Amino acid sequence: MTIAMTDHTPTRYAAQQVTAEPLIVRCLLIGVAATFLGLFLVLPLVAVFVQALERGLAAYWEALSDPDARAAIRLTILTAVLVVPLNLVFGVAAAWAIAKFDFRGKSVLITLIDLPFAVSPVISGVIYVLLFGLRGWLGPWLEAHDIKIIFSVPGIVLATLFVTCPLVARELIPLMQAQGAEEEEAAVVLGARGWQTFFRVTLPNIKWGLLYGVILCNARAMGEFGAVSVVSGHIRGLTNTMTLHVEILYNEYNFVGAFAIASLLALLSLVTLAAKSLIAWKTARKPCAPARHAV
Amino acid sequence: MAASISRKSRKRRILPGFGVALGFTVLYFSLIVAIPLAGLVLRAFNMTWDQFWTTVTAPRALASYRLTLGAAVGAALINVIFGSMVAWVLVRYRFPGRRLLDALVDLPFALPTAVAGISLTSLYASNGWIGRYLEAAGLKVAFAPAGVVVAMTFIGLPFVVRTLQPVLEDLDPEVEEAAASLGARRWHTVRRIILPELWPALVTGFALALARALGEYGSVVFIAGNMPMKTEITSLLIVIKLEQFDYAGATALAVVMLLASFTLLLLINLLQRWMTRRQHLLGD
């Protein structure tokens, strides 16, 4: 195993001679790190695809063409289509207010926006059951008016909104704060209208951060499990999202079926990771790069 | 100072849309997040203190706290040890496949927890790729507390690496060179010069991974086996109580979890402030 340790500038290379570990330590560290990542990241990912294709392509395709599976895929897409635009508008509005203006309680608001990340996904579902469930605050009223939220699609959308609401805002706030408000102020002074300023000045500056936020929000919306599982009621073909359908099939020992749907979700996560790397690479060459991590 | 204040107040006047943007933000956040969460806390106040206390200190609840907290701490520690190695290797060394590994570190953020759950379970089950060797060695992972640790390690993996990476990148090589030129052995430099700089990031990464693991549900419920008193995490106990229409019990346990995660969130905020302050000091 050869390890290229060359750094391009001669001074850095000279410096590394005194401040680098012995070759054997380096190899050992790389080995341990690669084994750890292989065991915890690569192997689970590979296992999804291997088990999805265990009975061959025909069985894989059959599992994906099952009507209940199709219904679950449709519901997941519907949820994402409803959730992502709403949280996009929220993220842009929050970032505009926080990054471009000063007001009291700003730091409190920034902390509050992160709240859904601190809350267990199960709790995100529980709070809506307590509000809209049969024995919840609004339960009797909703039943009297024949409106169904829990164990129905609106509940799934609400729980997903809760879980994914900070994602776009978190990407945009630090990015727009770093960019300041001078460019927008110049545009307004020169006579640009509000929306004109936003679309012509702000948007080009934040487009990559915005895109990344949307991609993350979409991935999370399609992959949410805990919150959705509490409010969904697991009705096949009606209120089963893809992740919930994976659970049902797995518990029925239909492993090919479970892993076939799981493989679609795993593909989505790979696309998300690739998009992230691409965006980080695109923005790395500019100043004010939003090369942040999705913590 | 005076100049910066006057510039700020001028900024408020020039740009449009402040009222609409802030108004929408606050309204949306209240409707989706704040009011439903407040409803949970209000509901807890409907219980008497005795009811609340008996529910949250029932033996089954206590067993679930022990498992959740113990496994989360164990997983976060594993992530601190191996995560710091991963961060070090990714920042300091150049080797084939480095970029791919770097991109893969974010996988637990992107992969749905249910997918991770069934995949890890199949790997560590007694006939799985890893499980069959561990079983032969007498170690049971799937459907045992160790499985909970494995799942929590997976979902907490990116936090330590991603907190540590920027700090490692910002380390000034001149300090290490100075230490080396003054005759320090490499191990001494690492322990006395580098490690002290990394402490805040390590503690923050640990806290972030811990917070994530405490609330985890999707990946754990598959691998845990969910036996009451043995391998049942607190999140699952909440779901079980809800399914039995024991809303009061679910509320009480949810409030306990909420308090735990808010305390951690506060701690993480303080830690991150400490981290940035240290980095500013280093930058000067």
Side-chain angles (χ1 to χ4, degrees):
Chain A
M1 184 171 160
T2 53
I3 291 157
M5 283 294 299
T6 45
D7 226 343
H8 301 298
T9 52
T11 48
R12 280 295 300 274
Y13 183 70
Q16 281 210 336
Q17 293 295 307
V18 276
T19 58
E21 292 74 42
L23 184 70
I24 179 144
V25 176
R26 273 180 264 156
C27 292
L28 207 69
L29 274 174
I30 292 175
V32 171
T35 311
F36 178 66
L37 293 182
L39 215 59
F40 276 94
L41 299 180
V42 180
L43 214 55
L45 194 61
V46 172
V48 171
F49 293 103
V50 169
Q51 295 186 68
L53 295 167
E54 210 169 37
R55 300 265 155 79
L57 266 176
Y60 178 74
W61 186 247
E62 199 181 327
L64 290 181
S65 339
D66 176 72
D68 288 342
R70 286 283 161 98
I73 294 170
R74 268 197 303 275
L75 180 59
T76 294
I77 292 172
L78 172 73
T79 309
V81 164
L82 291 172
V83 163
V84 173
L86 277 170
N87 281 335
L88 171 68
V89 173
F90 169 73
V92 171
W96 181 262
I98 286 169
K100 306 288 177 191
F101 300 92
D102 278 306
F103 54 92
R104 278 166 120 210
K106 184 152 109 170
S107 56
V108 177
L109 185 62
I110 296 177
T111 312
L112 279 179
I113 286 180
D114 274 349
L115 258 186
F117 284 159
V119 173
S120 165
V122 165
I123 294 180
S124 334
V126 169
I127 55 175
Y128 287 108
V129 175
L130 293 182
L131 269 186
F132 303 117
L134 209 52
R135 295 190 201 170
W137 299 85
L138 298 174
W141 186 86
L142 289 171
E143 210 191 3
H145 290 78
D146 205 24
I147 304 171
K148 236 174 136 45
I149 292 183
I150 298 304
F151 302 150
S152 159
V153 178
I156 294 172
V157 173
L158 276 174
T160 312
L161 274 178
F162 180 100
V163 173
T164 58
C165 120
L167 282 163
V168 179
R170 286 191 86 152
E171 283 308 310
L172 288 185
I173 290 169
L175 180 64
M176 282 167 74
Q177 272 181 329
Q179 285 168 349
E182 271 93 16
E183 288 183 34
E184 283 85 355
E185 282 168 6
V188 169
V189 168
L190 291 171
R193 304 254 302 271
W195 284 115
Q196 235 178 344
T197 312
F198 177 77
F199 281 110
R200 298 278 183 85
V201 180
T202 312
L203 197 58
N205 277 334
I206 60 167
K207 61 181 176 203
W208 293 115
L210 189 77
L211 183 64
Y212 182 47
V214 165
I215 290 171
L216 265 185
C217 184
N218 178 61
R220 197 60 205 280
M222 289 191 158
E224 181 50 36
F225 176 73
V228 169
S229 122
V230 173
V231 296
S232 130
H234 310 269
I235 308 161
R236 268 174 191 251
L238 283 178
T239 64
N240 254 352
T241 61
M242 285 166 80
T243 52
L244 298 178
H245 201 55
V246 166
E247 183 195 21
I248 287 190
L249 295 176
Y250 189 82
N251 287 340
E252 287 172 350
Y253 303 102
N254 181 351
F255 294 132
V256 170
F259 279 103
I261 296 177
S263 73
L264 293 183
L265 291 163
L267 273 180
L268 174 74
S269 71
L270 287 180
V271 170
T272 306
L273 287 187
K276 187 211 154 148
S277 302
L278 203 69
I279 289 170
W281 175 74
K282 271 250 179 227
T283 47
R285 290 171 299 176
K286 288 185 203 156
C288 288
R292 294 178 56 255
H293 302 297
V295 178
Chain B
M1 193 63 194
S4 77
I5 287 172
S6 74
R7 199 177 332 133
K8 274 179 184 171
S9 58
R10 227 186 313 136
K11 189 195 299 183
R12 187 176 302 178
R13 267 182 280 127
I14 293 175
L15 288 182
F18 174 64
V20 180
L22 187 66
F24 179 78
T25 305
V26 171
L27 180 74
Y28 184 90
F29 188 79
S30 306
L31 285 178
I32 299 290
V33 179
I35 294 174
L37 268 180
L40 174 78
V41 179
L42 269 180
R43 223 182 159 101
F45 278 114
N46 280 349
M47 307 169 75
T48 65
W49 175 251
D50 275 345
Q51 271 178 315
F52 180 81
W53 190 248
T54 355
T55 315
V56 300
T57 55
R60 195 170 167 189
L62 289 178
S64 83
Y65 307 148
R66 266 196 297 275
L67 174 69
T68 311
L69 192 64
V73 168
L77 280 176
I78 293 176
N79 274 324
V80 165
I81 295 166
F82 290 99
S84 48
M85 284 189 208
V86 170
W88 179 266
V89 162
L90 290 178
V91 170
R92 287 296 176 101
Y93 304 154
R94 296 290 171 272
F95 55 95
R98 183 185 66 96
R99 276 160 176 256
L100 190 70
L101 282 187
D102 192 24
L104 259 183
V105 167
D106 281 331
L107 183 73
F109 289 144
L111 194 72
T113 51
V115 176
I118 61 168
S119 184
L120 288 171
T121 311
S122 71
L123 284 176
Y124 287 92
S126 54
N127 58 351
W129 295 351
I130 302 175
R132 71 178 69 149
Y133 300 108
L134 293 177
E135 200 103 320
L139 195 66
K140 194 170 157 60
V141 176
F143 315 123
V148 181
V149 178
V150 167
M152 287 178 171
T153 306
F154 172 83
I155 48 121
L157 196 151
F159 290 98
V160 176
V161 181
R162 292 308 189 210
T163 317
L164 218 52
Q165 264 178 326
V167 181
L168 277 175
E169 276 161 9
D170 284 350
L171 276 186
D172 192 353
E174 280 173 26
V175 183
E176 288 169 56
E177 285 160 29
S181 72
L182 289 172
R185 302 280 290 274
R186 186 61 189 156
W187 171 240
H188 261 105
T189 315
V190 170
R191 218 182 58 195
R192 294 285 182 79
I193 309 287
I194 300 177
L195 208 57
E197 300 292 346
L198 299 184
W199 264 122
L202 280 174
V203 178
T204 309
F206 175 83
L208 284 169
L210 182 70
R212 179 75 171 82
L214 281 183
E216 180 54 18
Y217 176 73
S219 56
V220 174
V221 287
F222 290 99
I223 202 169
N226 308 330
M227 281 168 287
M229 305 295 296
K230 282 190 188 132
T231 57
E232 189 177 61
I233 54 166
T234 310
S235 296
L236 178 69
L237 194 54
I238 295 177
V239 174
I240 290 174
K241 288 199 183 283
L242 207 64
E243 277 169 0
Q244 295 165 344
F245 290 101
D246 178 7
Y247 281 18
T251 307
L253 288 179
V255 166
V256 170
M257 283 196 71
L258 217 53
L259 281 178
S261 31
F262 284 176
T263 316
L264 259 179
L265 184 71
L266 197 71
L267 205 71
I268 290 166
N269 265 335
L270 291 176
L271 281 169
Q272 272 165 344
R273 224 167 280 174
W274 179 37
M275 253 175 80
T276 37
R277 213 173 37 227
R278 276 186 66 132
Q279 272 172 338
H280 277 299
L281 285 178
L282 289 173
D284 286 344

